[in-house]
Amino acid sequence: MRIIRTTDYDDMSRKAANIISAQVILKPDSVLGLATGTTPLAAYKQLIRWCDRGDVDFSEVSTYNLDEYRGLTHDDPQSYHYFMRKNFFDHINIDLSRTHVPDGSNPDADAACADYDKLVHDAGYPDLQLLGIGNNGHIGFNEPDKYFSKGTHCVDLTESTIKANSRLFDREEDVPRQAYTMGVQTIMYARMILVIASGEAKAEAVRRMCFGPVDPECPASILQLHTNCVVIADEAALSQCPEA
């Protein structure tokens, strides 16, 4: 695991965008695993600017998002389908038929998860998987558990995750209580994993991810075992870690 220490959120975001753009430039038909939430927003904006300038070309790229809330239609403003189009896909030259997000509108959880697993498998798994990290150490929506998950599955979100995500909803009670998410094993199949973290609220989770025991109670800790994992985090997020 390689740790890149940055000064602040903007520095973190630019360095993450640099790595993602380099992946696409070196392999134009890259398979990218993407994440939602507030942490990657500035990195996406930087990639949009570079695409507008002609510095990076997404026309042959395929993408597979980590997760989606169960029960939301694709055009629901709180869905991750909507989030990705609003914040990234609609602003770059990507073929929307090459973009994939779990189908939260499918009430049949087993079918929705199996279908998504097949899509990711048939794509050969991501060349680069972008991850954020939750305050409780979750990656995707893989919450603390007694074991590491395998394939895409339906999860019951913890109260801490619901509370953290409520900032994006009008009311906390509006946050869905379940989601479909890639499993930890699926994430680990990516050839490169890029984790980004910012802010003091993430400090304990980042410490446990990088320096704690490998334990499903902190799902991100398994990334210590990946052969090509890069963590880009700002000073605040690394405040509980030894100097990198």
Side-chain angles (χ1 to χ4, degrees), residues 13-65:
S13 300
R14 186 175 181 86
K15 285 181 168 63
N18 276 329
I19 290 176
I20 296 168
S21 64
Q23 170 65 48
V24 174
I25 290 167
L26 292 171
K27 187 182 179 189
D29 61 346
S30 288
V31 177
L32 300 181
L34 297 181
T36 54
T38 55
T39 305
L41 284 177
Y44 289 153
K45 288 178 181 177
Q46 182 63 68
L47 291 168
I48 290 166
R49 287 193 289 271
W50 287 338
C51 183
D52 285 343
R53 264 184 3 203
D55 294 333
V56 60
D57 178 7
F58 291 94
S59 62
E60 297 180 48
V61 168
S62 298
T63 67
Y64 294 82
N65 265 74

Side-chain angles (χ1 to χ4, degrees), residues 4-9 12 197-207 232-241 243:
I4 299 175
R5 185 180 293 263
T6 66
T7 55
D8 55 23
Y9 174 76
M12 177 209 74
S198 175
E200 190 173 352
K202 300 294 177 73
E204 181 181 358
V206 170
R207 177 189 59 77
I232 304 180
D234 62 17
E235 294 283 356
L238 289 169
S239 60
Q240 295 188 24
C241 296
E243 285 291 325

